[in-house]
Amino acid sequence: MFATEKFTNPEAAYARVLEIYEHNTTILRDAFRQFSSGQGMSQRVRACYPFVRITTEKSTHTDTRQSFGFVAGPGCYETTLTRPQLFHQYLLAQFKLVLQNHEVPLEIGVSDMPIPVHFAFPEGIHVEGSLDPEHLRTLPDYFDLPDLATMDDRIANGSYEVDNGAWREGVHPLALFTGPRIDYSLHRLRHYTATSPDQFQRYVLFTNYAFYVDEFVRLGRRLMEPTDDPEELAYRRQYTAFVEPGNVTTWSANQEGLETRAASGVAPARQPQMPAYHLQRADGSGITLVNIGVGPSNAKTVTDHVAVLRPHGWLMLGHCAGLSASQRMGDYVLAHAYVRDDHVLDDDLPLWVPIPALAEVQLALQDAVASITRLEGYELKRIMRTGTVASVDDRNWELRDHRMPLLRFSQSRAIALDMESATVAANGFRFRVPYGTLLCVSDKPLHGEIKLPGMANTFYEQRVAQHLQIGIRALELLRNNGIEQVHSRKLRSFAEPAFR
C-alpha cells in the first residue's frame, strides 16, 4: 500500500513514518481481536515496521564540533522505526540533521521486518493472557512473535559486519537500535518500573537505595504544591507534573491550566522491581529517578532498556565503601575511572576498553557539590575526592580471602567500592549516553567501620537529602548547558550510526 517515497522536509518524513506505523499496527490489533474472539482466520497476518534510509555517494564535510547527525562515508544507511509518537521530537531532530549534513532525501517506506503482534499494543496488553490454551498454541500460525535474532545489540557493540550477513548485505545501520529492539525494551521498562515509557524524562538518576526514593517523592510532591515565594515559584514552574508507579500523576499547582487537573493513575498493588519516578517538564527534559536495587545485573538490566529512550544523560547516586584511611563517613566520591570487577558486561564490552570520564559531566557534578555544600576550591576537598571506583559482583567480598582483590584495588588506586557504578558507566559508554557517578561513603570495612544499623541510620539522616539535591542540581546544570555540550565526541567511534 505504501510505496517508498523521498522526502526533503523532516516534518513530512515523520508524518509518513507515523502513517505507516499506525496503519500497520492497526491491522495487527484488529486481526488479533478477531483471532481472540474465536472468529476464523483464513490466512496469516503480517505487517512490517516503517524504515528510513539515506543513500549518499560522497563524503560529507560537517561541523566538526558535532558528535552525531552524519554518516561515516558513501553508502546506503537504513533503520527500522517504531512508536513514532513517543519519539516525535527525537526523530525530527535526527531527520533534520541528516538532511542538513548530506543534502540527500530521506527515503521512507515499509521494511521487510515484521512487527510482532505483542508489540502492536503499545500499552502492554498481555496477548497471551486473553487466550485459551488452544488459541495460544496456534498463535504462531497466524502472527509473527518476538524474535530474539532481531533484538541483539551488535550495532551498539560495534560487532556487526555489513558484508557477511550479520546486518544486511551492503546496508549500514542508521541508528543504534532497530524497531524490534526498541519495542522489546519499552515493554520491559513498563514491566520493571510500573510507569509508561512516555513518562520518562531525558535526564535520569539511578540509585540503589529506597531512602533516595523517599526523599525524591517528598521533593516531587512539594514542588507541585502552590507557593507565594517569587524565587521558589520561578523554580517550581520549571516542572509540570510528578509521576509515580502506576502512572499516578500529581499536576503542578503553579502552572496555569494545570492547577485544576485532578490526580490520575492507580498505584500498583505491590511495588515493581525497579520503581521509577518522574519530575516532568513540558518538553520532556525533566528528571527521572529509578531505584535499580542492588547489584551489577540490575544495573545492566535497567540501563539496557532506558538507553532506547535516548536520554541526554544519566548519573549513578549510591553508597560505597571507602577504601582510603583519610575518608570519612559521608564523604563524596566523584568517579573519574572504574575497575570493572563486576563481569556483567564482559561479553558486550571487553575489559580492555577504557571508560573515560566525561569532562562536561564531571564539571557539572563538581559544581553541584560546591553549590549545595557551599564549599569551593581547596575547601571542597574536605568532603569530596575524585578517584577510581571499583565495582564488584559479590556483596560479601570481605568474607573471602580478599588479598588478591585488595591488591588489584590498590594497584588501580581505587578509593571506593560498590556494585553498580561501573556497569552504569560502561553501559552509558556502550550506548552513547553521557554518564557520571557520585557516591557517598557509607562504611569503611578495611578500617573497622562496617555498616551496622545504628551507624547507617545516622548516616542516612545526614546525607541522603543533600546527596539527592546534588544529583538533581548536576542534571539541571547539564540541561542548562545544552545538549550540544553534553553529547561528547568521546562516546562516538570513527564509523558511527548517524542517529544519536
Side-chain angles (χ1 to χ4, degrees):
M1 177 179 177
F2 294 96
T4 300
E5 292 189 33
K6 296 182 178 181
F7 296 86
T8 57
N9 180 286
E11 287 83 6
Y14 168 81
R16 176 51 58 91
V17 171
L18 178 61
E19 182 182 12
I20 293 172
Y21 179 80
E22 291 297 330
H23 178 269
N24 287 3
T25 52
T26 298
I27 289 174
L28 291 174
R29 290 192 295 269
D30 290 346
F32 178 76
R33 293 187 184 101
Q34 176 183 340
F35 173 79
S36 59
S37 67
Q39 301 180 46
M41 299 285 289
S42 60
Q43 59 184 357
R44 185 179 183 85
V45 178
R46 167 169 288 179
C48 294
Y49 288 98
F51 75 79
V52 57
R53 175 196 302 143
I54 72 163
T55 304
T56 178
E57 297 179 355
K58 60 181 180 179
S59 298
T60 302
H61 301 285
T62 62
D63 185 341
T64 57
R65 296 170 298 178
Q66 292 180 345
S67 63
F68 59 91
F70 52 89
V71 299
C76 180
Y77 298 81
E78 181 182 310
T79 190
T80 50
L81 303 171
T82 190
R83 299 290 297 276
Q85 288 184 310
L86 176 61
F87 292 99
H88 182 194
Q89 295 303 320
Y90 169 80
L91 291 175
L92 282 180
Q94 309 314 305
F95 289 177
K96 182 178 179 180
L97 280 174
V98 170
L99 286 167
Q100 287 178 345
N101 287 328
H102 294 284
E103 298 180 341
V104 295
L106 298 172
E107 296 178 66
I108 307 295
V110 181
S111 73
D112 57 4
M113 185 174 286
I115 302 173
V117 66
H118 302 67
F119 297 162
F121 294 87
E123 290 307 309
I125 293 177
H126 298 288
V127 171
E128 295 88 345
S130 60
L131 301 180
D132 58 39
E134 177 60 23
H135 277 81
L136 188 60
R137 184 183 64 81
T138 60
L139 183 66
D141 296 335
Y142 298 103
F143 297 97
D144 291 289
L145 306 186
D147 180 4
L148 290 178
T150 67
M151 298 181 201
D152 61 53
D153 283 329
R154 282 175 292 178
I155 302 171
N157 292 348
S159 58
Y160 72 92
E161 296 179 35
V162 172
D163 295 327
N164 71 353
W167 173 241
R168 289 181 58 190
E169 185 175 355
V171 179
H172 303 265
L174 191 60
L176 292 175
F177 302 110
T178 63
R181 171 65 172 85
I182 293 172
D183 274 334
Y184 171 73
S185 281
L186 296 180
H187 282 73
R188 300 311 293 162
L189 270 180
R190 186 181 182 91
H191 168 75
Y192 283 121
T193 69
T195 53
S196 299
D198 55 7
Q199 306 289 5
F200 275 74
Q201 301 296 285
R202 295 296 174 261
Y203 296 88
V204 184
L205 291 173
F206 297 117
T207 187
N208 52 4
Y209 281 96
F211 301 96
Y212 289 83
V213 171
D214 296 340
E215 188 63 31
F216 193 70
V217 170
R218 281 194 290 270
L219 173 65
R221 292 175 178 173
R222 179 175 64 81
L223 291 179
M224 299 303 105
E225 297 172 354
T227 180
D228 295 326
D229 182 281
E231 185 174 345
E232 180 65 16
L233 178 61
Y235 181 77
R236 293 189 186 189
R237 279 181 170 168
Q238 296 183 71
Y239 298 103
T240 58
F242 183 64
V243 181
E244 303 175 50
N247 298 316
V248 175
T249 303
T250 303
W251 298 97
S252 172
N254 302 295
Q255 302 283 338
E256 185 176 351
L258 296 181
E259 69 274 6
T260 59
R261 296 183 65 172
S264 59
V266 179
R270 56 182 180 274
Q271 277 286 72
Q273 184 175 345
M274 300 180 191
Y277 304 79
H278 315 277
L279 187 55
Q280 296 186 333
R281 284 169 58 102
D283 62 357
S285 67
I287 296 170
T288 286
L289 180 137
V290 184
N291 181 7
I292 65 178
V294 177
S297 180
N298 278 6
K300 179 181 184 298
T301 296
V302 70
T303 50
D304 279 350
H305 300 319
V306 172
V308 306
L309 295 172
R310 308 317 295 145
H312 294 316
W314 62 42
L315 302 177
M316 178 68 201
L317 297 184
H319 300 162
C320 65
L323 299 180
S324 171
S326 64
Q327 289 171 304
R328 298 172 299 177
M329 297 274 281
D331 281 358
Y332 294 115
V333 173
L334 175 56
H336 77 169
Y338 302 88
V339 175
R340 293 169 52 201
D341 216 28
D342 48 24
H343 307 299
V344 71
L345 280 169
D346 289 3
D347 292 335
D348 295 293
L349 194 67
L351 285 172
W352 51 260
V353 175
I355 309 299
L358 305 181
E360 299 81 3
V361 180
Q362 299 296 98
L363 289 173
L365 281 166
Q366 179 176 289
D367 290 348
V369 175
S371 173
I372 298 299
T373 64
R374 301 181 184 276
L375 296 173
E376 295 183 357
Y378 193 59
E379 287 300 305
L380 194 59
K381 291 179 179 289
R382 292 186 183 276
I383 64 164
M384 187 183 78
R385 183 167 173 176
T386 301
T388 298
V389 171
S391 291
V392 298
D393 57 4
D394 180 5
R395 175 60 187 86
N396 296 320
W397 62 274
E398 306 100 323
L399 303 182
R400 300 184 309 177
D401 183 350
H402 53 268
R403 288 172 293 179
M404 284 307 296
L406 287 185
L407 176 61
R408 294 200 302 275
F409 300 152
S410 176
Q411 290 175 324
S412 69
R413 311 298 192 269
I415 61 169
L417 187 71
D418 82 339
M419 297 186 69
E420 299 86 19
S421 293
T423 304
V424 171
N427 246 5
F429 180 84
R430 186 164 74 105
F431 293 132
R432 290 72 162 174
V433 177
Y435 53 85
T437 298
L438 185 72
L439 302 177
C440 196
V441 176
S442 61
D443 61 321
K444 295 174 60 181
L446 301 184
H447 309 283
E449 298 183 45
I450 60 176
K451 191 178 294 184
L452 297 174
M455 299 167 66
N457 289 340
T458 300
F459 161 76
Y460 297 140
E461 292 171 3
Q462 294 176 345
R463 271 293 184 259
V464 166
Q466 185 185 75
H467 195 187
L468 180 64
Q469 290 173 17
I470 291 169
I472 291 173
R473 179 66 57 83
L475 291 179
E476 290 175 339
L477 288 172
L478 289 175
R479 182 178 66 214
N480 294 341
N481 290 338
I483 63 172
E484 295 83 4
Q485 293 290 331
V486 71
H487 286 290
S488 173
R489 290 174 293 181
K490 297 184 188 73
L491 297 181
R492 310 287 290 186
S493 182
F494 47 81
E496 285 282 294
F499 286 9
R500 176 181 62 79

